[in-house]
Amino acid sequence: MNEGINNPKLIYEEKKALNLFLWLFYITYIAYELLFYYIYPSFSNGGIIGNSDGVGPLAYVFIFGLIPVTMHFYKKGNPYIVKYLFVFTFIILDTVNSLMMYLGTDKTFAAGHIVEVLIVLFTPIFVNKRYFWTVSIVMIVKYVFVGIVLWEPLVLAPMGIYIILSLLAYAILNRFSSYINSITLAHNELRQKEKLAVIGQMATAIGHEIKNPLSSLRGFTQLQQERHPNTSEYAPIMIQEIDRINSIVNDLMYLGKPKVITFEKASIEEIITYTLSITKQKSESQGVMVDTIMEGPLPPLDCDANQLKQMFINLIKNAKESMPNGGKIRINVKVIEGKRMLISIQDEGCGIADEDILSLGEPFYTTKQDGTGLGLLVSNQIISDHHGKMTIDSSLDKGTTVNVIIPITQNNTRAK
């Protein structure tokens, strides 16, 4: 559970764990105090001795005085500090109590409190590693301090016990954390699938309806340009915008329709050459230069060539749009360990902030003013269908590098 996050669900879960902890804390504390200081002495000495040594009844004032303080933090919506408050208050009181009882006396050291065991073993329920380390370290430091001041070797016994208990608590905490991370991952994957399902339904409903009139509109616009080449100055712009709409519809159609991928041997050089020929004219008009480096002889790739072409068009288009004033795109292709192919696309554009990189690839998430957030989503899907992976490394105002790694040989000849 993350401290300091003003999230109602996290606060609610923290309060549930804290309520259980406080109930057990007070029940254990009161039961131990009654047994150790009142009931047991009355049987062993024939009378009630009570907690007159050490801090004495003043300790009860501090411990029970924490209740209104806890209510205050509850009302302020910050219950995270309460567990630290109880731990440090108890440790300080118990340390002072031990020093007052044994410092300057010849009594046999027998300090310690059952509440300490509760505190250590209860750390995993808060699912907070900072709290766990705080409790474990403070508990051990307390006995080190008492042992040094009292010059008492008997503190080694409780130190060893709490080290063992801390290791046990750490193992439980790791299990809790792993379980929560798995649930979170499954939840995020489910949300992603739900978004894709919505996009698919929308694409199926409107994709074909847009495609047909769009083709007619482009054809008539192109015909008008050919008939009146000197009077139709807006025709190229119209064709360009129609092509952009068509690209968006293609992305939607890709996500909406069932996909059957046929893996065939294809040359990565030919795929990239084709992609660059498609984007060359627009790149030159924007002052963007493309350098391509093919390292060594490249083996044929098991892939769906058309889909890889679409993926590279999207990635190169993103690189160009990040450099409105022109620049250079570097494409580097090489084989890794003879089993995988790395295609790196590097630009000199505006870059992407770290917090935005984590959300790239989500449906409709984009950092561009006129973007749709579908291009990178489609590219991710194509790479996933080819059993590959994509990583993005970016620095603001310096540029972005997209690395695509695809197995050279696919295990399956067909994928859905």
Side-chain angles (χ1 to χ4, degrees):
M1 195 162 302
N2 297 323
E3 294 183 12
I5 298 179
N6 190 19
N7 185 306
K9 291 183 179 179
L10 292 179
I11 292 176
Y12 173 72
E13 291 298 327
E14 178 75 8
K15 286 183 177 180
K16 282 175 60 178
L18 199 56
N19 287 339
L20 178 59
F21 171 72
L22 294 182
W23 274 105
L24 291 176
F25 178 91
Y26 279 110
I27 290 173
T28 306
Y29 181 81
I30 294 171
Y32 182 83
E33 292 289 312
L34 287 174
L35 179 64
F36 190 78
Y37 289 111
Y38 298 95
I39 298 176
Y40 176 73
S42 68
F43 284 99
S44 61
N45 298 327
I48 298 177
I49 296 178
N51 188 7
S52 57
D53 296 332
V55 179
L58 186 61
Y60 305 145
V61 176
F62 282 102
I63 293 297
F64 288 96
L66 291 175
I67 295 177
V69 177
T70 299
M71 300 304 298
H72 169 75
F73 284 112
Y74 268 39
K75 291 180 181 179
K76 290 290 184 179
N78 183 23
Y80 303 103
I81 197 174
V82 173
K83 55 182 178 288
Y84 292 99
L85 194 62
F86 270 80
V87 168
F88 281 106
T89 300
F90 176 80
I91 293 297
I92 291 172
L93 285 174
D94 197 56
T95 302
V96 173
N97 186 67
S98 296
L99 295 178
M100 292 178 65
M101 289 180 64
Y102 296 103
L103 187 61
T105 69
D106 56 355
K107 294 180 181 179
T108 303
F109 182 78
H113 205 292
I114 192 64
V115 169
E116 295 176 345
V117 178
L118 171 70
I119 291 174
V120 173
L121 290 181
F122 211 81
T123 52
I125 202 169
F126 291 103
V127 198
N128 187 312
K129 288 190 176 182
R130 183 171 66 178
Y131 173 68
F132 165 79
W133 286 114
T134 300
V135 169
S136 300
I137 292 172
V138 167
M139 196 70 69
I140 294 172
V141 167
K142 170 209 165 184
Y143 279 100
V144 171
F145 174 75
V146 171
I148 292 174
V149 174
L150 298 179
W151 201 247
E152 179 58 71
L154 290 178
V155 298
L156 294 175
M159 284 177 59
I161 292 173
Y162 289 125
I163 289 174
I164 294 173
L165 292 178
S166 295
L167 292 174
L168 176 62
Y170 186 72
I172 298 172
L173 175 60
N174 273 341
R175 196 72 195 96
F176 282 179
S177 299
S178 176
Y179 181 69
I180 291 174
N181 290 336
S182 298
I183 292 177
T184 303
L185 182 61
H187 175 71
N188 291 337
E189 289 178 352
L190 180 61
R191 288 185 58 193
Q192 183 78 357
K193 289 179 180 178
E194 288 176 349
K195 290 180 181 179
L196 292 176
V198 171
I199 295 173
Q201 293 172 1
M202 180 176 63
T204 303
I206 66 175
H208 289 289
E209 299 299 326
I210 295 178
K211 250 324 207 184
N212 293 332
L214 203 60
S215 299
S216 301
L217 185 60
R218 192 186 193 285
F220 287 128
T221 305
Q222 200 166 8
L223 181 63
Q224 184 72 11
Q225 182 185 20
E226 292 173 356
R227 288 182 176 179
H228 308 283
N230 299 323
T231 58
S232 184
E233 58 179 314
Y234 297 110
I237 299 175
M238 293 172 62
I239 293 175
Q240 181 179 343
E241 291 303 305
I242 290 172
D243 287 340
R244 192 166 76 89
I245 297 172
N246 190 57
S247 175
I248 295 172
V249 174
N250 284 336
D251 288 342
L252 283 171
M253 293 294 292
Y254 180 87
L255 295 171
K257 65 185 178 183
K259 297 177 290 294
V260 177
I261 303 174
T262 301
F263 292 114
E264 297 179 349
K265 297 290 184 182
S267 169
I268 190 66
E269 295 99 324
E270 293 179 3
I271 292 174
I272 292 179
T273 300
Y274 173 84
T275 303
L276 294 179
S277 68
I278 295 294
T279 59
K280 180 179 179 181
Q281 183 177 359
K282 192 170 182 180
S283 297
E284 292 178 349
S285 66
Q286 293 179 353
V288 175
M289 302 298 294
V290 181
D291 287 343
T292 305
I293 301 174
M294 306 283 182
E295 296 187 16
L298 299 175
L301 194 65
D302 278 349
C303 65
D304 187 318
N306 290 328
Q307 289 196 11
L308 287 191
K309 290 173 184 177
Q310 181 179 355
M311 181 264 293
F312 285 125
I313 288 174
N314 287 338
L315 296 182
I316 293 173
K317 176 174 173 287
N318 287 343
K320 288 190 301 182
E321 290 177 350
S322 71
M323 300 184 293
N325 299 322
K328 183 176 289 186
I329 298 175
R330 296 176 179 84
I331 301 176
N332 187 283
V333 184
K334 64 180 180 180
V335 176
I336 304 175
E337 299 175 351
K339 297 180 180 180
R340 297 170 295 165
M341 192 167 291
L342 169 65
I343 304 98
S344 177
I345 301 174
Q346 181 181 8
D347 64 57
E348 300 174 344
C350 57
I352 307 170
D354 291 340
E355 59 269 21
D356 291 328
I357 289 180
L358 298 175
S359 300
L360 291 179
E362 293 184 4
F364 304 113
Y365 183 87
T366 180
T367 58
K368 297 179 288 188
Q369 292 183 351
D370 58 348
T372 62
L374 295 177
L376 201 57
L377 175 62
V378 170
S379 299
N380 260 326
Q381 185 62 48
I382 292 173
I383 294 169
S384 177
D385 290 340
H386 283 76
H387 309 109
K389 65 177 181 178
M390 178 173 65
T391 59
I392 299 175
D393 186 18
S394 185
S395 299
L396 287 175
D397 301 324
K398 292 183 179 180
T400 301
T401 300
V402 179
N403 294 315
V404 177
I405 299 177
I406 300 175
I408 294 175
T409 302
Q410 300 290 340
N411 293 327
N412 302 320
T413 57
R414 295 179 71 85
K416 291 185 178 180

